């Protein structure tokens, strides 16, 4: 593992976070690989949580999340970013409010990203899916 690989991974993760914060779906699509190993626990009660595999589907998750939640109430804080070669793990806390129900959700999260040739090839998110499902249930 070289510092160059770690630096490239960290730079891509920082770009991902900046584009996510800006809601730039077009640039997010370009940042994801054509095929992505996407993992997010199935949650049929939650409209923005579903299987995804293409760059466009992965980037669209952020738009769908914004459509179904109250943007002013969305919070995410990152405690740690660990980078090891092409892999990065981010840990933190997230919260929000579901637009349709007015109920809030919150909890810790961990996100594992893999970056190859400057593009995200793996996006595995572990979050408090019970809190999110409860917030989506009328």
């Amino acid at each position: 593992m070289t510092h160059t690989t770690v630096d490239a991974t960290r730079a891509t993760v920082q770009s991902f976070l900046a584009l996510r914060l800006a809601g730039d779906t077009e640039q997010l699509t370009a940042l994801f690989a054509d095929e992505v190993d996407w993992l997010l626990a199935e949650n049929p009660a939650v409209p923005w949580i579903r299987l995804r595999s293409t760059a466009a589907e992965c980037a669209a998750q952020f738009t769908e999340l914004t459509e179904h939640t109250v943007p002013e109430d969305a919070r995410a804080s990152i405690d740690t970013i660990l980078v090891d070669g092409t892999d990065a793990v981010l840990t933190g806390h997230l919260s929000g409010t579901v637009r349709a129900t007015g109920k809030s959700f919150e909890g810790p999260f961990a996100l594992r990203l893999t970056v190859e040739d400057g593009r995200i090839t793996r996006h595995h998110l572990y979050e408090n899916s019970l809190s999110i499902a409860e917030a989506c249930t009328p």
Side-chain angles (χ1 to χ4, degrees), residues 9 11 41 43 48 51 55-56 84 137:
T9 300
N43 204 333
W48 63 87
L51 286 174
D84 182 16
T137 305

Side-chain angles (χ1 to χ4, degrees), residues 56-70:
E57 289 171 342
C58 294
Q61 191 268 341
F62 305 110
T63 303
E64 293 169 22
L65 175 64
T66 304
E67 291 169 355
H68 292 284
T69 60
V70 179

Side-chain angles (χ1 to χ4, degrees), residues 36-41 51-52 111 122-126:
V36 179
D37 175 6
W38 178 276
L39 177 70
L40 188 54
L51 286 174
R52 298 168 192 274
L111 173 61
R122 176 185 291 131
H123 181 286
H124 289 187
L125 179 62
Y126 307 91

Side-chain angles (χ1 to χ4, degrees), residues 1-3 5-6 83-86:
M1 172 179 53
T2 66
H3 285 293
T5 302
V6 169
V83 179
D84 182 16
T86 60

Side-chain angles (χ1 to χ4, degrees), residues 29-53:
T29 301
L31 195 60
F32 280 107
D34 295 341
E35 290 290 322
V36 179
D37 175 6
W38 178 276
L39 177 70
L40 188 54
E42 284 190 48
N43 204 333
V46 184
W48 63 87
I49 296 179
R50 60 182 176 80
L51 286 174
R52 298 168 192 274
S53 62

Side-chain angles (χ1 to χ4, degrees), residues 11-34:
T12 301
V13 169
Q14 294 295 345
S15 293
F16 168 78
L17 294 173
L19 293 169
R20 174 65 186 89
L21 187 61
D24 190 336
T25 305
E26 186 177 325
Q27 290 300 314
L28 277 169
T29 301
L31 195 60
F32 280 107
D34 295 341

